[in-house]
Amino acid sequence: MASGSIIEIRDLSKTYGSGSKQTAALRNLNLNVNRGEIFGYLGPNGAGKTTTIRLLLDLIRPSRGSASIFGMDVRADSVEIHRRIGFFPAELSLWEGRTGDQIIQYVASVRGDTRAIAKHASELAEQLDLDTSKRVRDLSSGNKRKLGLVIAMMHSPELLILDEPTGGLDPLVQQTFHEMMDDYRAKGKTVFLSSHVLSEVQAICDRVGILRDGELKAVESVEKITNVEFNWVDVVFRDAVPAGLQQQLERMPSITNVSANGTRVRMRMIGDFDPLLRAISDGYVESLHIEEPTLEEIFLAYYSGEKETR
């Protein structure tokens, strides 16, 4: 294992089917995740993120390559590895007829230190504002995911592997989750976080790996990957879009993809806003909305070399 690495992946591949009907879910993945970092594993749905996690957990077997966690082979030493990690799956399945407390007690007994783990579970539930006395079937989807987070974290594992953990959580709970991850990292522990939510990655991750179509395209610091600094801007006028404005905007080097329809004009913009504000000052502006790019748009900009900084 490389110095300081918690996860080390070498030439990991997963192919389904055979012959001409083969589908590659993951291609020759090489990746290290360092001790004490929050690593964001990014990609659109279907990119291969969950396949990678299932391979790391030995839930499926690779077609080629290898992976280790804590310096141990994920296949040969899976039982010991599972003892030291916490896992939150994208598709969470819990016992519908059991209460949160009953599930916590059962999982804690399997972990081997029921009292200490249950106590920490209670603290986590309080942080997340989760009522663990209710049956799972009576919990909202968001509260089910809170319970999943409690189960993943309650034994204070050395490594957390989280697959799309905040889907279905309201913004306030997401913020609490971010604070919990910051605390976790401060204790020297490691998080491998699969996500397609750019704002989440920006908030908590140290480095990110960009996955697309089963291939790792880049591994960068969050600061570098988010230096693709373009935004979508929508301007709505009280009356029709001023005559000639679309052509004026199209001539500006910092603005592309201009479209105008009725009272609205939309554009892709890089850099300072002052030139735009001057250009639209002849009309009565009812609203101006700035929208950050989607992760897929950042991918496309990153791959095509369009990275810009403000």
Side-chain angles (χ1 to χ4, degrees):
M1 182 171 67
S3 176
S5 296
I6 291 293
I7 299 174
E8 185 172 294
I9 298 171
R10 290 291 172 263
D11 299 320
L12 197 64
S13 300
K14 180 61 179 177
T15 302
Y16 294 98
S18 60
S20 61
K21 295 183 179 180
Q22 280 191 345
T23 300
L26 199 65
R27 299 182 180 90
N28 301 316
L29 176 65
N30 288 279
L31 178 66
N32 286 350
V33 176
N34 300 324
R35 183 183 303 276
E37 75 173 335
I38 300 179
F39 187 90
Y41 198 47
L42 305 182
N45 292 332
K49 304 188 301 296
T50 297
T51 295
T52 304
I53 288 173
R54 294 178 70 195
L55 289 166
L56 287 174
L57 296 171
D58 196 36
L59 299 177
I60 57 175
R61 295 291 171 86
S63 304
R64 185 174 61 256
S66 63
S68 65
I69 298 177
F70 310 124
M72 297 182 287
D73 183 82
V74 296
R75 294 180 60 180
D77 303 302
S78 61
V79 174
E80 174 61 17
I81 289 171
H82 287 188
R83 187 181 67 81
R84 297 167 60 182
I85 67 175
F87 172 51
F88 181 95
E91 299 295 331
L92 187 62
S93 180
L94 298 168
W95 295 283
E96 292 287 325
R98 301 284 185 174
T99 67
D101 286 326
Q102 288 172 328
I103 294 173
I104 288 168
Q105 287 292 330
Y106 172 74
V107 177
S109 68
V110 173
R111 290 287 182 186
D113 187 359
T114 305
R115 181 172 298 180
I117 293 175
K119 181 177 183 296
H120 191 215
S122 178
E123 294 167 351
L124 292 169
E126 184 175 353
Q127 279 184 273
L128 292 167
D129 191 24
L130 171 65
D131 182 357
T132 56
S133 67
K134 292 183 177 180
R135 294 185 186 275
V136 170
R137 68 164 62 99
D138 298 323
L139 295 176
S140 67
S141 59
N143 281 327
K144 288 178 182 178
R145 297 188 77 77
K146 291 181 189 179
L147 179 57
L149 287 171
V150 170
I151 293 169
M153 299 178 65
M154 65 185 188
H155 59 298
S156 300
E158 298 169 58
L159 169 66
L160 273 175
I161 298 178
L162 308 176
D163 195 358
E164 305 282 359
T166 59
L169 299 181
D170 66 53
L172 286 177
V173 179
Q174 289 180 26
Q175 181 59 41
T176 300
F177 169 77
H178 295 167
E179 293 168 359
M180 293 168 75
M181 293 300 99
D182 287 338
D183 291 343
Y184 203 79
R185 173 175 48 198
K187 295 174 182 175
K189 298 184 178 184
T190 308
V191 180
F192 184 84
L193 170 71
S194 164
S195 180
H196 63 268
V197 181
L198 178 62
S199 58
E200 177 170 77
V201 170
Q202 287 176 304
I204 62 174
C205 291
D206 301 297
R207 291 190 304 144
V208 296
I210 301 173
L211 194 70
R212 191 181 191 197
D213 296 330
E215 295 184 3
L216 188 66
K217 299 297 184 179
V219 177
E220 301 285 2
S221 69
V222 167
E223 180 181 7
K224 185 170 183 179
I225 198 64
T226 55
N227 273 345
V228 183
E229 287 286 359
F230 65 86
N231 291 288
W232 290 101
V233 180
D234 277 297
V235 182
V236 178
F237 295 91
R238 181 179 60 188
D239 305 308
V241 173
L245 177 62
Q246 181 173 356
Q247 292 75 19
Q248 180 184 355
L249 294 173
E250 288 171 343
R251 291 193 295 269
M252 296 171 64
S254 61
I255 293 176
T256 58
N257 299 81
V258 182
S259 62
N261 183 17
T263 62
R264 177 188 179 196
V265 61
R266 177 175 173 85
M267 69 209 77
R268 184 179 185 268
M269 181 176 162
I270 296 169
D272 296 332
F273 277 78
D274 188 65
L276 171 64
L277 297 177
R278 293 176 184 274
I280 64 177
S281 61
D282 289 341
Y284 188 103
V285 177
E286 283 195 337
S287 68
L288 188 151
H289 177 69
I290 301 166
E291 176 185 326
E292 72 175 14
T294 66
L295 195 57
E296 179 69 11
E297 289 165 344
I298 285 183
F299 288 166
L300 292 174
Y302 193 88
Y303 298 149
S304 62
E306 296 176 0
K307 292 178 282 184
E308 302 283 350
T309 58
R310 294 192 180 206

